[in-house]
Amino acid sequence: APAALLDGRRGGGALPAATRAALACVSKATVEAAAAVRGCAGGGSGGLRAPQLPSVVFTHEGGEGGRGKENQDAAFAARPSPDLAIFGVFDGHGRRFGKLAGEVASRVVRSRLCALHRWVELCPDAALQWVFTHAHEEIRTAMLAAAPDLLHLQRGHRADFLVEWMTDEDGGDARWDAVDGGTTATVALLLRGTLLKLAFAGDSSAVVLGRAAPPRPARQGRAKPAPP
């Protein structure tokens, strides 16, 4: 059965009726398009392979939408080899650097995992931990390049922090505070059509949908935290 990855921030509240109706229309069209793609792909023996796996991306800026709110979402679907499909969803947050963080994370994760797809197929857990750390470092570098006024604090060998000078809109005292921006991450690897590996950062999540109840995860673990 086809699988879909749905991403969202928790605690966002119910969507308005008009928005729910629009999403329902999009969902119906998506299901019909996916069925047409499967029909063109034809059948085959063995597991579900990446070339036969359709994907659809839909993002929303949150809340009621519109009103000039910036959509900071980024997403991708990639097929670097017949035995590997990669999906990524990144929910940027923060008025100043949210969009930059989401876009950089999406680009880095996609390019690195595709370039090293043979290693990813052999060592998916290690590859996911490595690429999350690498994306974190690339986001920091991009923020420093975009805003020279940021202060890069280093404490010890591993702990790095980005801070910026914040002015209080209510007239309070200005102060140094954590940089205004970041992103969540949800990355899924489908290996040989039979093994699904998921990695998360932040409050994003993934949902597997199908005609039958999915099997229980073989193992759940927590990656070592990256520096803030």
Side-chain angles (χ1 to χ4, degrees):
L5 298 177
L6 306 179
D7 178 77
R9 297 183 66 82
R10 295 171 183 157
L15 293 174
T19 302
R20 292 198 302 272
L23 288 174
C25 293
V26 172
S27 299
K28 181 180 179 181
T30 298
V31 172
E32 293 173 350
V37 172
R38 289 197 305 275
C40 294
S45 58
L48 179 64
R49 284 179 164 257
Q52 297 172 286
L53 186 67
S55 62
V56 178
V57 175
F58 177 83
T59 69
H60 190 274
E61 60 267 35
E64 297 180 1
R67 300 182 180 180
K69 185 175 182 180
E70 182 180 51
N71 189 337
Q72 300 173 328
D73 298 337
F76 73 84
R79 180 185 51 82
S81 79
D83 288 328
L84 176 63
I86 309 172
F87 306 92
V89 177
F90 306 85
D91 183 5
H93 51 82
R95 182 179 301 177
R96 189 174 186 188
F97 295 113
K99 187 173 182 64
L100 179 140
E103 291 178 347
V104 170
S106 179
R107 171 177 53 81
V108 170
V109 171
R110 176 173 184 161
S111 63
R112 299 301 187 272
L113 292 182
C114 286
L116 302 172
H117 65 87
R118 292 186 179 180
W119 176 50
V120 176
E121 294 169 17
L122 292 174
C123 307
D125 293 337
L128 286 170
Q129 291 192 29
W130 174 82
V131 81
F132 268 55
T133 300
H134 193 67
H136 179 84
E137 294 170 351
E138 289 293 321
I139 292 171
R140 180 195 301 131
T141 300
M143 288 181 177
L144 287 169
D149 60 306
L150 297 181
L151 183 62
H152 186 193
L153 300 180
Q154 293 181 314
R155 296 180 181 179
H157 178 64
R158 295 178 59 87
D160 292 349
F161 302 90
L162 286 184
V163 295
E164 61 180 319
W165 187 249
M166 294 282 195
T167 57
D168 194 324
E169 296 180 355
D170 297 327
D173 295 334
R175 67 190 186 283
W176 288 101
D177 203 347
V179 67
D180 183 22
T183 184
T184 69
T186 302
V187 178
L189 307 179
L190 183 62
L191 298 149
R192 297 171 293 280
T194 58
L195 178 63
L196 184 64
K197 290 283 188 176
L198 297 173
F200 306 92
D203 62 357
S204 292
S205 60
V207 180
V208 179
L209 305 177
R211 294 189 181 91
R216 291 181 178 274
R219 182 176 64 86
Q220 291 183 343
R222 181 179 296 272
K224 295 181 180 179

